[in-house]
Amino acid sequence: MIIHILQDADRLGELAARHIEVALLGVSSPVLGVATGSSPEPVYAALAARANAGTFRVDGLRAFALDEYVGLPDDHDERYRNVLLRAFANPLGIDGDRVHVPDGGGEDAPLAAARYEQAIQLAGGIDLQLLGIGRNGHIGFNEPGSDFRSLTRVVELTESTRVANARFFARAEEVPRQSISQGLATIMRSRAVVLIATGAEKADAVRAALTGPVTTDMPASVLQRHPRVSIYLDGAAAASLDLQLLESIAVVHDWRE
Ligand code: GLP
């Protein structure tokens, strides 16, 4: 595991974007796993700048979302398909038909989940999965208690996740109760993982995920078992880490002044 600690989110975005660009260089039809939430926004902004400058080549790139809400109408602003088009695909000049998102709006969500898992396999798997982390340590929508063997499936959102995500909706009751999420095993099959965390409210989850026991109570802790994980943190998200302990188990680049 390699951990980068940056001064602020903008610098983090630039470094993580460069990491993604380099990791996908030489992959002929790269498959990028993309996340929603606020954490990846600076990464997408920096990737868009690199795509527009011509250094990050997006021709041939396909993207697969981590998750999608169940039951939001097609045109809802918070439907993750729409969020990803707005924040990621359009600024980078990637056609919407190359952005794959589970179908959370249909009649049969379990079937949509199974088809999505299959679509990832058919695409040859994910070369690099970008992740945020929830305050309770969820990745995707794999809430505490999720099985490490889980594949893409329908999941119930915890109350704490619904409260955390209410800021994106006009009314808290509008936050869906279910989502379709890549499973923890799906995420672990990605050939590389980049996890982004910013802000003090993530500090406890970051410490537990990186230096605590590997347990289903802290879903992100499973990443300790992944052979190619890079973590990008701002100073606030890194604040609870015991850097001495961390240096005994990971490569730490502290880029702060
Ligand atoms: C959501 C998403 C996750 C995301 C997490 C953190 O629930 N499903 O993929 O990582 O929240 O979001 P944020 O980055 O906005 O804190």
Side-chain angles (χ1 to χ4, degrees):
M1 184 179 282
I2 302 179
I3 299 168
H4 301 267
I5 307 175
L6 285 309
Q7 197 70 35
D8 56 48
D10 286 342
R11 190 74 192 113
L12 180 157
E14 283 163 19
L15 239 78
R18 199 173 64 186
H19 178 125
I20 293 168
E21 182 181 310
V22 171
L24 298 182
L25 266 182
V27 181
S28 59
S29 321
V31 179
L32 178 64
V34 285
T36 52
S38 2
S39 315
E41 284 172 3
V43 184
Y44 296 148
L47 275 178
R50 299 182 81 87
N52 292 325
T55 60
F56 183 47
R57 304 295 302 270
V58 296
D59 31 296
L61 184 138
R62 286 164 296 168
F64 279 82
L66 250 187
D67 46 21
E68 175 61 285
Y69 288 119
V70 168
L72 288 183
D74 280 2
D75 60 353
H76 196 291
D77 277 351
E78 286 311 313
R79 188 153 171 168
Y80 281 171
R81 168 158 205 94
N82 298 331
V83 172
L84 286 168
L85 291 179
R86 250 185 353 251
F88 167 74
N90 296 343
L92 271 83
I94 296 171
D95 283 347
D97 59 8
R98 285 194 277 135
V99 179
H100 302 267
V101 183
D103 180 9
E107 296 282 287
D108 192 340
L111 180 65
R115 287 205 172 128
Y116 191 72
E117 182 72 30
Q118 204 178 24
I120 293 174
Q121 307 303 323
L122 287 173
I126 292 173
D127 291 302
L128 186 145
Q129 177 65 57
L130 185 60
L131 295 176
I133 181 171
R135 293 169 207 193
N136 62 1
H138 72 233
I139 47 177
F141 272 126
N142 294 285
E143 299 282 23
S146 296
D147 198 309
F148 285 169
R149 293 163 301 184
S150 53
L151 299 175
T152 305
R153 68 210 184 289
V154 177
V155 294
E156 306 290 324
L157 303 187
T158 61
E159 209 38 44
S160 77
T161 296
R162 294 187 68 237
V163 168
N165 289 5
R167 68 190 193 279
F168 296 115
F169 291 81
R171 287 174 308 118
E173 314 84 78
E174 264 186 56
V175 184
R177 294 180 183 280
Q178 290 186 318
S179 74
I180 297 175
S181 179
Q182 283 189 35
L184 292 172
T186 318
I187 292 170
M188 290 295 280
R189 282 179 190 165
S190 306
R191 287 184 271 283
V193 171
V194 168
L195 181 139
I196 310 292
T198 51
E201 65 280 7
K202 300 293 173 64
D204 290 345
V206 164
R207 178 176 37 82
L210 302 190
T211 60
V214 176
T215 161
T216 55
D217 293 342
M218 175 48 59
S221 66
V222 73
L223 297 173
Q224 292 180 32
R225 295 185 178 158
H226 194 289
R228 280 185 71 202
V229 184
S230 298
I231 313 278
Y232 287 81
L233 307 171
D234 70 357
S240 302
L241 287 170
D242 175 343
L243 288 185
Q244 238 173 349
L245 168 64
L246 201 58
E247 276 166 0
S248 65
I249 54 175
V251 177
V252 182
H253 294 297
D254 193 338
W255 299 100
R256 291 172 292 184
E257 306 282 88

